[in-house]
Amino acid sequence: MYNILKGKRGIIFGALDSNSIAWKVAERAHEEGATFVLTNAPIAMRMGTINQLAEKTGSQVIPADATSMEDLSNLIDQSVEILGGKIDFVLHSIGMSLNVRKGKHYTDSNYDFTHKGFDISALSFHRVLNLLYNKKAMSEWGSIVALTYMAAQRVFPDYNDMADNKAYLESIARSFGYFFGRDHKVRVNTISQSPTPTTAGSGVKGFDGFISYAEEMSALGNATALECADYTISLFSDLTRKVTMQNLFHDGGFSNMGVSDGVMEKFISKE
Ligand SMILES: NC(=O)c1ccc[n+]([C@@H]2O[C@H](COP(=O)([O-])OP(=O)(O)OC[C@H]3O[C@@H](n4cnc5c(N)ncnc54)[C@H](O)[C@@H]3O)[C@@H](O)[C@H]2O)c1
């Protein structure tokens, strides 16, 4: 361990269980000397095991529905108070599509589901940034990271409306990142992560095939949740101060591949 987050204060959204990417980020941030508040939707707190993580990392848990300005405002005020100062890092690790969950095909969306999923998965990031910015709750050279997936740029048929939500999320990081950089010297980035076996990830139809294909296509293989946490920690640290408004691929090289030898082999006739 490098102690690169020593003395830093953070808010971590989205740790549901030990598979969650946010869970690994919290464990790594703790190891690196940070203190932070954990948060999740009130319903997820009942379903998940977040209290174990809180105990392990000496953190407090504050429930907040990421679609509620009131909850988020309260979360930020309380976090500054509990942690004893402005916030240095924030992880937005939130995603949910009701169309995916209820089996609605992309070509036949239920638009109430679309609205709800968009609010949770994309607009929530704008809400969080808005409140942090207007409350002046971030320290100078602070860092805000949201997690995304490459379906924002390329078609993965079963990713459904989450593809559109991720495209919007990545755009928010650029647009808000400008104002946050200009006015408060705060970084805003998205990390585009490999498919990862978590509750949200496994909800995508055909996830097994999907993850094996990505593994075979990537020069370094898929990035794990723990590796994603390591990368996130580097973006929270002072070693990446001028990285902002970027969508950063963390995928073993997948996003720059056309085809790999392993995948080609499956299509070359054997006679
Ligand atoms: N798993 C993958 O394959 C993969 C790949 C790339 C990006 N991502 C992204 O990583 C992030 C984290 O997902 P994960 O894979 O760790 O799965 P996860 O299911 O562990 O995390 C998703 C979290 O979103 C939370 N959430 C849902 N609705 C909420 C609400 N209204 N308010 C607050 N929180 C709410 C859930 O409670 C859960 O903790 C998501 O943005 C996801 O899209 C995942």
Side-chain angles (χ1 to χ4, degrees):
M1 300 308 108
Y2 316 92
N3 240 0
I4 50 172
L5 298 187
K6 190 162 183 262
K8 293 202 184 292
R9 309 176 180 101
I11 302 176
I12 298 179
F13 287 85
L16 180 66
D17 55 35
S18 59
N19 293 321
S20 298
I21 298 169
W23 188 287
K24 310 281 187 215
V25 173
E27 288 181 332
R28 288 291 294 112
H30 178 61
E31 285 168 1
E32 293 297 340
T35 52
F36 46 83
V37 161
L38 296 167
T39 181
N40 211 323
I43 180 153
M45 323 262 311
R46 291 196 290 278
M47 286 160 42
T49 47
I50 196 169
N51 287 327
Q52 287 169 23
L53 180 66
E55 211 168 293
K56 191 174 170 190
T57 58
S59 314
Q60 288 201 38
V61 184
I62 302 176
D65 182 334
T67 64
S68 158
M69 289 302 269
E70 200 187 328
D71 283 11
L72 291 172
S73 176
N74 170 59
L75 165 70
I76 292 167
D77 293 346
Q78 276 204 54
S79 299
V80 170
E81 207 179 300
I82 291 167
L83 299 170
K86 290 194 182 197
I87 307 300
D88 300 296
F89 65 87
V90 175
L91 176 70
H92 178 288
S93 186
I94 300 172
M96 213 272 290
S97 161
L98 277 168
N99 281 307
V100 168
R101 197 178 272 188
K102 309 257 187 198
K104 289 296 286 182
H105 194 263
Y106 185 73
T107 55
D108 183 28
S109 297
N110 173 318
Y111 296 111
D112 290 335
F113 294 170
T114 307
H115 269 291
K116 188 71 190 152
F118 166 71
D119 204 6
I120 293 171
S121 309
L123 210 53
S124 62
F125 191 40
H126 200 285
R127 293 179 194 279
V128 170
L129 291 167
N130 169 345
L131 287 163
L132 290 167
Y133 177 93
N134 286 302
K135 287 175 183 286
K136 298 191 172 54
M138 293 295 294
S139 310
E140 266 199 7
W141 302 111
S143 175
I144 303 169
V145 170
L147 295 176
T148 186
Y149 182 58
M150 211 186 61
Q153 288 80 33
R154 298 188 193 172
V155 175
F156 293 85
D158 292 321
Y159 206 66
N160 208 315
D161 57 347
M162 278 305 286
D164 306 330
N165 293 335
K166 292 303 192 191
Y168 197 95
L169 180 88
E170 292 173 18
S171 179
I172 291 172
R174 282 187 295 274
S175 303
F176 223 126
Y178 170 66
F179 297 108
F180 240 134
R182 187 193 68 181
D183 300 339
H184 300 310
K185 294 204 164 42
V186 169
R187 291 159 278 172
V188 185
N189 294 291
T190 48
I191 294 178
S192 188
Q193 163 68 6
S194 294
T196 314
T198 62
T199 304
S202 315
V204 178
K205 203 173 115 205
F207 189 73
D208 280 2
F210 199 51
I211 203 165
S212 309
Y213 172 72
E215 175 74 23
E216 191 81 57
M217 274 289 279
S218 311
L220 295 174
N222 288 331
T224 64
L226 185 56
E227 286 162 342
C228 185
D230 282 337
Y231 188 36
T232 308
I233 297 297
S234 77
L235 287 175
F236 289 162
S237 81
D238 291 333
L239 302 177
T240 53
R241 283 183 165 196
K242 288 287 171 76
V243 181
T244 194
M245 301 161 63
Q246 303 299 315
N247 179 43
L248 302 160
F249 289 102
H250 182 253
D251 62 0
F254 180 88
S255 47
N256 265 347
M257 291 299 296
V259 73
S260 67
D261 290 337
V263 170
M264 270 307 278
E265 247 173 51
K266 298 185 172 37
F267 290 93
I268 294 170
S269 53
K270 296 270 187 302
E271 78 280 355

